[in-house]
Amino acid sequence: MTDTFTSPPYAGRGMRHRGRPRRSLAPFLAQLAIWSGAAGVLALWWSDTTAVVGPAGWLTGAGRITGLLAGYACAVLLALMARIPLLDHTFGTDRLARWHALGGRCTVSLALSHTLLIVWGYSLTSHTNVVSQASTLVFRYPDLLKGTLGFLLFLATGVLSARAARRRMSYETWHYLHFATYLAIFLTFGHQLSNGADFVGNRLAQVAWYALFLGVTVLVAWFRFTVPVRRGLRHRMRVAAVHPEAPGVVSVYLTGEHLDELGGRPGQFLRWRFLAPGLWWTANPYSLSAPAHPHHLRITVKTAGGHSAALAHLAPGTRVWAEGPYGGFTENRRTAPKVLLLAGGVGITPLRTLFETLPGQVTLVYRARCVEDLALRGEIDAIAAYRRARVHYVVDEPVGYSSPLTAQGLSSLIPDLAEHDVYLCGPRRMTQAATEALRAAGVLAHRIHHESFEF
């Protein structure tokens, strides 16, 4: 089923297209900084190594390199997920999460390689078997028992972060198990300085290593813990009302003080902590479903787990703490005068705010299972009528009213599709299929903007 709404031009404030932005150098500079740090770590090993002789020397040298890189990678991982606003708004939370996930796999691999190579190399040097050598290293070398426990925690976190395991646990459980990485890094830090040949007796290297980890620790402590507490005390947010929008979908209205200082932009999300029984211990990400107002905010949530289901029963007056705003799914990503917003299910929430505020020619395609699942439809219709924009509602039921999520199906709705920027939000399978269809329809990759909440 497809509906189109047209009416007088939308006259919202500040709705003027900025033209194509310059291509950002930020991703290149960020990766350059990361790789430069890795090169510096390798230079530390090189400057401290006079010669590598025999199999034992090669194995031990490789073990030292992988150990140095694993330690450096831990600092990078912490920085990527420290929720630093500059990084988050520049790259987007989903890209940082992907970098973090890739870096995590590399870190675990490096740590495992370091362990095996060092044990093997030392066993060849001392002419003992690897089991005996491993026991000697763990129980007789300073800080290595703690380092071993940290290494085992890393392995366990890596296994739990694998996609197959991740799908079997809730977001809240995975989130808190992930905190084990902080303990793992703390446990392994000491043995790097007390046993690492590149640090023993090298005061400058020790100071640089301490500065790296202390700096990252300060960033994590400030942005992940101190800032949320300060904002919770300052903004004093509370639940004002909970309103049903569609089957299994509710909007939570919030009031507070100085909410304009949060700076939430259309398309962004915050992590919300509701101080109610069973909810206070976790902060979940939900997008703003209406433009931010100095005195009130709104999120719209679909029941997808225990946390989101409980929001439907929040009592007015419940205290709320919010972290953020986060994400780069904003107007800044726009590169073309024409914009297509492609929503699936509750993915409409960030796109509804963009639909209201993005300047120029904007078209919304909203896909759902049935008509009753089209949340916020009344608001969307009003916005479309006011700003003379097109809306296409596509539902799977009843049969015969659906438009396939293919290049041909999308092009039939948007004839000049290749000339559009596309903002895409919805379930993972839907976004994957939509991305393939958009590319097949000629939309350039850099014009497809998507932010995932699968952290």
Side-chain angles (χ1 to χ4, degrees), residues 382-394:
I383 294 169
Y386 189 62
R387 65 172 299 171
R388 202 178 184 84
R390 289 184 297 166
V391 178
H392 301 281
Y393 295 105
V394 180

Side-chain angles (χ1 to χ4, degrees), residues 236-248:
R236 305 179 65 83
M237 276 192 285
R238 295 181 181 275
V239 173
V242 178
H243 184 268
E245 302 287 358

Side-chain angles (χ1 to χ4, degrees), residues 138-222:
V138 171
F139 295 106
R140 295 188 182 180
Y141 279 62
D143 295 317
L144 257 181
L145 180 58
K146 291 192 298 183
T148 301
L149 293 175
F151 168 66
L152 294 176
L153 274 177
F154 267 124
L155 285 182
T157 305
V159 171
L160 292 173
S161 297
R163 188 178 296 274
R166 172 71 180 86
R167 290 175 179 171
R168 288 175 169 80
M169 66 181 74
S170 68
Y171 169 82
E172 296 82 8
T173 301
W174 172 84
H175 177 75
Y176 277 94
L177 289 175
H178 223 61
F179 275 118
T181 55
Y182 293 137
L183 178 59
I185 292 172
F186 174 78
L187 290 172
T188 57
F189 179 79
H191 101 276
Q192 298 175 61
L193 298 177
S194 57
N195 298 300
D198 302 289
F199 293 105
V200 175
N202 189 337
R203 189 65 176 173
L204 181 61
Q206 292 176 11
V207 170
W209 209 247
Y210 268 111
L212 173 64
F213 277 87
L214 285 175
V216 172
T217 300
V218 168
L219 290 174
V220 171
W222 179 257

Side-chain angles (χ1 to χ4, degrees), residues 4 75 83 127 138 150 201 218 256 264-265 312 314 317 354 385 396 425-426 449-450:
T4 302
R83 299 179 186 171
H127 304 289
V138 171
V218 168
R265 302 183 60 191
L314 285 172
L354 289 170
D396 297 329
C425 190
H449 314 299
H450 170 240

Side-chain angles (χ1 to χ4, degrees), residues 17 51 59 143 166 184 222 313 348 373 381 384:
H17 180 44
L59 289 170
D143 295 317
R166 172 71 180 86
W222 179 257
H313 307 289
I348 189 62
D373 289 337
D381 291 348

Side-chain angles (χ1 to χ4, degrees), residues 216-255:
V216 172
T217 300
V218 168
L219 290 174
V220 171
W222 179 257
F223 289 111
R224 296 201 65 160
F225 299 99
T226 305
V227 170
V229 172
R230 289 176 68 243
R231 287 182 171 177
L233 296 174
R234 175 161 177 75
H235 298 302
R236 305 179 65 83
M237 276 192 285
R238 295 181 181 275
V239 173
V242 178
H243 184 268
E245 302 287 358
V249 179
V250 297
S251 285
V252 180
Y253 292 81
L254 306 120
T255 60

Side-chain angles (χ1 to χ4, degrees), residues 27-41:
F28 169 76
L29 293 176
Q31 294 184 52
L32 178 63
I34 293 173
W35 288 110
S36 296
V41 168

